Amino acid sequence: MNEQIRAREVRLVGPEGEQVGIVPLERALQLAADVDLDLVEVAPMARPPVCKLMDFGKFKYESALKAREARRNQQQTVIKEMKLRPKIDPHDYETKKGHVVRFLKAGDKVKVTIMFRGREQSRPELGYRLLRRLESEISELGYVEAAPKQDGRNMIMVLAPHRATKAAAVAATATRGGARERDAEGAPVDEPAVAGDTGTVADTSGA
């Protein structure tokens, strides 16, 4: 930027994107000073390098705003985990199904794990039947992204929210974000990061 530029001549672009042409660096710097703007190298690998007249402080501020907005609107994939036993108590099953429903409504994927112990390993159909039951009961919110498969002593199935379910979750998040406290200048105040906001979150409570 400005005097840090080392090229002897540059291809100059005006503040509105107009092409000025190839000019000596001294001339470009003088033009920048005349309009109280910065000379910023935007394509240093070009021959000659491309420089633009701009208010660099304003550019950095607007770029930061765009980056913050992009982070706010970014859809991050979160995988929750729910563990069940093949002979789970009906009340416990309903409780854990409620957690799965809540995860899907939040737009998250759910890894459902059936844990077999001892002689239960000889009855994989029990786990398969339980997973199929869960699949049918949450079908309005999600679908099976990864079909049930045996993994050692466990049987695993992955559920994902329907597109409409995830869109509703994103819209709800955006609505909450729009209601955040604003600072004295009217700019949104960033919320502190919450541990476990992304990544794999496991419910390890046993049945």
Side-chain angles (χ1 to χ4, degrees), residues 42-159:
V42 295
M45 302 306 294
R47 291 292 179 267
V50 180
C51 295
K52 185 176 181 179
L53 299 176
M54 67 172 72
D55 182 336
F56 190 66
K58 181 180 178 182
F59 171 76
K60 286 183 64 177
Y61 174 74
E62 291 177 347
S63 296
L65 285 181
K66 290 179 180 178
R68 183 165 58 186
E69 188 66 23
R71 288 195 301 271
R72 185 184 305 158
N73 295 332
Q74 185 179 15
Q75 298 182 19
Q76 298 180 338
T77 300
V78 179
I79 300 179
K80 309 285 187 174
E81 183 173 15
M82 186 58 58
K83 295 184 177 181
L84 299 82
R85 292 288 305 282
K87 296 180 180 179
I88 187 171
D89 177 82
H91 175 73
D92 288 339
Y93 171 80
E94 291 299 327
T95 299
K96 296 203 173 203
K97 185 182 75 173
H99 290 318
V100 172
V101 167
R102 178 164 54 86
F103 294 151
L104 291 172
K105 284 184 176 180
D108 300 328
K109 295 182 180 181
V110 185
K111 176 184 176 183
V112 184
T113 302
I114 304 293
M115 301 181 298
F116 295 95
R117 295 177 183 173
R119 296 181 180 179
E120 292 174 347
Q121 296 180 60
S122 63
R123 300 290 304 279
E125 69 275 6
L126 295 178
Y128 185 81
R129 195 154 50 229
L130 186 61
L131 291 177
R132 286 307 184 192
R133 174 187 173 188
L134 180 62
E135 174 192 354
S136 65
E137 293 178 354
I138 57 85
S139 59
E140 293 185 0
L141 297 172
Y143 64 95
V144 175
E145 184 180 72
K149 68 176 181 179
Q150 196 77 23
D151 182 16
R153 295 184 177 184
N154 299 328
M155 181 176 288
I156 298 171
M157 177 177 74
V158 178
L159 300 171

Side-chain angles (χ1 to χ4, degrees), residues 141-198:
L141 297 172
Y143 64 95
V144 175
E145 184 180 72
K149 68 176 181 179
Q150 196 77 23
D151 182 16
R153 295 184 177 184
N154 299 328
M155 181 176 288
I156 298 171
M157 177 177 74
V158 178
L159 300 171
H162 290 309
R163 182 174 300 178
T165 304
K166 187 157 188 174
V170 172
T173 301
T175 300
R176 291 195 298 270
R180 288 186 300 180
E181 179 184 359
R182 292 178 172 273
D183 61 19
E185 296 180 356
V189 176
D190 282 335
E191 298 173 342
V194 178
D197 226 10
T198 60

Side-chain angles (χ1 to χ4, degrees), residues 1-8 10 25-26 29 38-42 44 49 51 56 60:
M1 184 174 66
N2 298 328
E3 286 76 12
Q4 296 175 333
I5 300 173
R6 293 289 177 258
R8 293 183 178 181
V10 299
L25 176 61
E26 294 77 6
L29 289 171
D38 297 301
L39 181 67
V40 180
E41 200 173 52
V42 295
C51 295
F56 190 66
K60 286 183 64 177

